[in-house]
CSV table of all heavy atoms in Angstrom, one decimal:
chain,number,residue,atom,x,y,z
G,1,THR,N,-188.4,60.8,101.5
G,1,THR,CA,-187.8,60.1,102.6
G,1,THR,C,-188.7,59.5,103.6
G,1,THR,O,-188.3,58.7,104.3
G,1,THR,CB,-186.6,61.1,103.3
G,1,THR,OG1,-187.4,62.2,103.8
G,1,THR,CG2,-185.8,61.7,102.3
G,2,GLY,N,-189.8,60.2,103.8
G,2,GLY,CA,-190.8,59.9,104.9
G,2,GLY,C,-190.3,60.3,106.2
G,2,GLY,O,-191.0,59.9,107.2
G,3,ARG,N,-189.3,61.2,106.2
G,3,ARG,CA,-188.9,61.7,107.6
G,3,ARG,C,-189.1,63.2,107.7
G,3,ARG,O,-188.4,64.0,107.0
G,3,ARG,CB,-187.4,61.3,107.7
G,3,ARG,CG,-187.0,59.9,107.8
G,3,ARG,CD,-185.5,59.7,108.2
G,3,ARG,NE,-184.7,60.4,107.3
G,3,ARG,CZ,-184.1,59.7,106.3
G,3,ARG,NH1,-184.4,58.4,106.0
G,3,ARG,NH2,-183.2,60.3,105.5
G,4,PRO,N,-190.2,63.6,108.3
G,4,PRO,CA,-190.6,65.0,108.4
G,4,PRO,C,-189.5,65.8,109.1
G,4,PRO,O,-188.7,65.1,110.0
G,4,PRO,CB,-191.9,65.0,109.3
G,4,PRO,CG,-192.4,63.7,109.0
G,4,PRO,CD,-191.2,62.7,109.1
G,5,ILE,N,-189.3,67.0,108.8
G,5,ILE,CA,-188.4,67.9,109.4
G,5,ILE,C,-188.9,68.7,110.6
G,5,ILE,O,-189.9,69.4,110.3
G,5,ILE,CB,-187.8,68.9,108.3
G,5,ILE,CG1,-187.1,68.0,107.2
G,5,ILE,CG2,-186.7,69.9,108.9
G,5,ILE,CD1,-186.8,68.9,105.9
G,6,PRO,N,-188.4,68.6,111.8
G,6,PRO,CA,-189.0,69.3,112.9
G,6,PRO,C,-188.6,70.8,112.8
G,6,PRO,O,-187.5,71.2,112.3
G,6,PRO,CB,-188.3,68.7,114.1
G,6,PRO,CG,-187.0,68.1,113.6
G,6,PRO,CD,-187.3,67.8,112.2
G,7,VAL,N,-189.6,71.7,113.1
G,7,VAL,CA,-189.3,73.2,113.0
G,7,VAL,C,-189.9,73.7,114.2
G,7,VAL,O,-191.0,73.3,114.7
G,7,VAL,CB,-189.8,73.9,111.7
G,7,VAL,CG1,-189.1,73.5,110.6
G,7,VAL,CG2,-191.3,73.4,111.6
G,8,ASN,N,-189.3,74.7,114.8
G,8,ASN,CA,-189.8,75.5,116.1
G,8,ASN,C,-189.9,76.9,115.6
G,8,ASN,O,-188.9,77.7,115.6
G,8,ASN,CB,-188.7,75.3,117.2
G,8,ASN,CG,-189.3,76.0,118.5
G,8,ASN,OD1,-190.2,76.7,118.4
G,8,ASN,ND2,-188.6,75.7,119.6
G,9,VAL,N,-191.1,77.4,115.3
G,9,VAL,CA,-191.3,78.7,114.7
G,9,VAL,C,-192.5,79.3,115.4
G,9,VAL,O,-193.5,78.7,115.6
G,9,VAL,CB,-191.6,78.5,113.1
G,9,VAL,CG1,-192.0,79.9,112.7
G,9,VAL,CG2,-190.4,77.9,112.4
G,10,ARG,N,-192.2,80.6,115.7
G,10,ARG,CA,-193.4,81.3,116.2
G,10,ARG,C,-194.0,82.0,115.0
G,10,ARG,O,-193.4,82.7,114.1
G,10,ARG,CB,-192.9,82.5,117.2
G,10,ARG,CG,-194.3,83.1,117.7
G,10,ARG,CD,-193.9,84.4,118.5
G,10,ARG,NE,-195.0,84.8,119.3
G,10,ARG,CZ,-195.0,85.9,120.1
G,10,ARG,NH1,-193.8,86.4,120.5
G,10,ARG,NH2,-196.1,86.1,120.9
G,11,ILE,N,-195.4,82.0,114.9
G,11,ILE,CA,-196.0,82.5,113.8
G,11,ILE,C,-196.8,83.7,114.1
G,11,ILE,O,-197.6,83.8,115.0
G,11,ILE,CB,-197.1,81.4,113.1
G,11,ILE,CG1,-196.2,80.2,112.6
G,11,ILE,CG2,-197.8,82.0,112.0
G,11,ILE,CD1,-197.1,79.1,112.1
G,12,LEU,N,-196.6,84.8,113.3
G,12,LEU,CA,-197.3,85.9,113.3
G,12,LEU,C,-198.0,86.2,112.0
G,12,LEU,O,-197.3,85.9,110.9
G,12,LEU,CB,-196.4,87.2,113.6
G,12,LEU,CG,-195.5,87.1,114.9
G,12,LEU,CD1,-194.7,88.4,115.0
G,12,LEU,CD2,-196.4,87.0,116.1
G,13,ALA,N,-199.2,86.4,111.9
G,13,ALA,CA,-200.0,86.6,110.6
G,13,ALA,C,-200.6,88.0,110.5
G,13,ALA,O,-201.0,88.6,111.6
G,13,ALA,CB,-201.0,85.5,110.5
G,14,ALA,N,-200.9,88.5,109.4
G,14,ALA,CA,-201.5,89.8,109.2
G,14,ALA,C,-202.3,89.6,107.9
G,14,ALA,O,-202.1,89.0,106.9
G,14,ALA,CB,-200.4,90.9,109.1
G,15,THR,N,-203.4,90.5,108.0
G,15,THR,CA,-204.3,90.5,106.8
G,15,THR,C,-205.2,91.8,106.9
G,15,THR,O,-205.4,92.3,108.0
G,15,THR,CB,-205.2,89.3,106.8
G,15,THR,OG1,-206.1,89.4,105.5
G,15,THR,CG2,-206.2,89.3,107.9
G,16,ASN,N,-205.6,92.2,105.7
G,16,ASN,CA,-206.4,93.4,105.6
G,16,ASN,C,-207.8,92.9,105.3
G,16,ASN,O,-208.8,93.8,105.2
G,16,ASN,CB,-206.0,94.4,104.6
G,16,ASN,CG,-206.0,93.8,103.1
G,16,ASN,OD1,-205.9,92.7,102.9
G,16,ASN,ND2,-205.9,94.8,102.1
G,17,LYS,N,-208.1,91.6,105.2
G,17,LYS,CA,-209.3,91.0,104.9
G,17,LYS,C,-210.1,90.7,106.1
G,17,LYS,O,-209.6,90.4,107.2
G,17,LYS,CB,-209.1,89.8,103.9
G,17,LYS,CG,-208.7,90.1,102.6
G,17,LYS,CD,-208.7,88.9,101.7
G,17,LYS,CE,-208.2,89.2,100.2
G,17,LYS,NZ,-208.3,88.0,99.4
G,18,ASN,N,-211.5,90.5,105.9
G,18,ASN,CA,-212.2,90.0,107.0
G,18,ASN,C,-212.3,88.5,106.9
G,18,ASN,O,-213.0,88.0,106.0
G,18,ASN,CB,-213.7,90.6,107.0
G,18,ASN,CG,-214.6,90.1,108.0
G,18,ASN,OD1,-214.5,89.1,108.6
G,18,ASN,ND2,-215.6,91.0,108.3
G,19,LEU,N,-211.5,87.8,107.8
G,19,LEU,CA,-211.3,86.4,107.5
G,19,LEU,C,-212.5,85.7,107.9
G,19,LEU,O,-212.8,84.5,107.3
G,19,LEU,CB,-210.2,85.9,108.5
G,19,LEU,CG,-208.8,86.3,108.0
G,19,LEU,CD1,-207.7,85.6,108.9
G,19,LEU,CD2,-208.5,86.1,106.6
G,20,GLN,N,-213.3,86.2,108.8
G,20,GLN,CA,-214.7,85.5,109.1
G,20,GLN,C,-215.6,85.4,107.8
G,20,GLN,O,-216.3,84.5,107.5
G,20,GLN,CB,-215.4,86.1,110.3
G,20,GLN,CG,-214.6,85.9,111.6
G,20,GLN,CD,-215.3,86.5,112.8
G,20,GLN,OE1,-216.0,87.5,112.6
G,20,GLN,NE2,-215.0,85.9,113.9
G,21,GLU,N,-215.5,86.5,107.1
G,21,GLU,CA,-216.3,86.7,105.8
G,21,GLU,C,-215.7,85.7,104.7
G,21,GLU,O,-216.3,85.1,104.0
G,21,GLU,CB,-216.1,88.1,105.3
G,21,GLU,CG,-217.1,88.4,104.0
G,21,GLU,CD,-218.5,88.3,104.4
G,21,GLU,OE1,-218.9,88.5,105.5
G,21,GLU,OE2,-219.3,88.0,103.4
G,22,GLU,N,-214.3,85.6,104.7
G,22,GLU,CA,-213.6,84.6,103.8
G,22,GLU,C,-214.0,83.2,104.1
G,22,GLU,O,-214.2,82.4,103.3
G,22,GLU,CB,-212.1,84.9,103.9
G,22,GLU,CG,-211.6,86.2,103.4
G,22,GLU,CD,-212.0,86.5,102.0
G,22,GLU,OE1,-211.3,85.7,101.2
G,22,GLU,OE2,-212.7,87.4,101.6
G,23,ILE,N,-214.2,83.0,105.4
G,23,ILE,CA,-214.6,81.6,105.9
G,23,ILE,C,-216.1,81.3,105.4
G,23,ILE,O,-216.2,80.2,104.9
G,23,ILE,CB,-214.6,81.5,107.5
G,23,ILE,CG1,-213.0,81.5,107.9
G,23,ILE,CG2,-215.2,80.2,108.0
G,23,ILE,CD1,-213.0,81.7,109.4
G,24,ARG,N,-217.0,82.3,105.4
G,24,ARG,CA,-218.2,82.1,105.1
G,24,ARG,C,-218.3,81.7,103.5
G,24,ARG,O,-219.3,81.1,103.1
G,24,ARG,CB,-219.2,83.2,105.4
G,24,ARG,CG,-219.5,83.3,106.9
G,24,ARG,CD,-220.6,84.4,107.0
G,24,ARG,NE,-220.1,85.7,106.9
G,24,ARG,CZ,-219.7,86.4,108.1
G,24,ARG,NH1,-219.5,85.8,109.1
G,24,ARG,NH2,-219.2,87.6,107.7
G,25,HIS,N,-217.4,82.3,102.8
G,25,HIS,CA,-217.4,82.1,101.4
G,25,HIS,C,-216.5,80.9,100.9
G,25,HIS,O,-216.2,80.6,99.8
G,25,HIS,CB,-217.0,83.4,100.6
G,25,HIS,CG,-218.0,84.4,100.6
G,25,HIS,ND1,-218.0,85.3,101.6
G,25,HIS,CD2,-219.0,84.7,99.8
G,25,HIS,CE1,-219.1,86.2,101.5
G,25,HIS,NE2,-219.7,85.8,100.2
């Protein structure tokens, strides 16, 4: 359609990984 759907969402994220280490790799 080419018409994006607007969304109003609050995002909470969780991880047990070291994301800075994941970024380096």
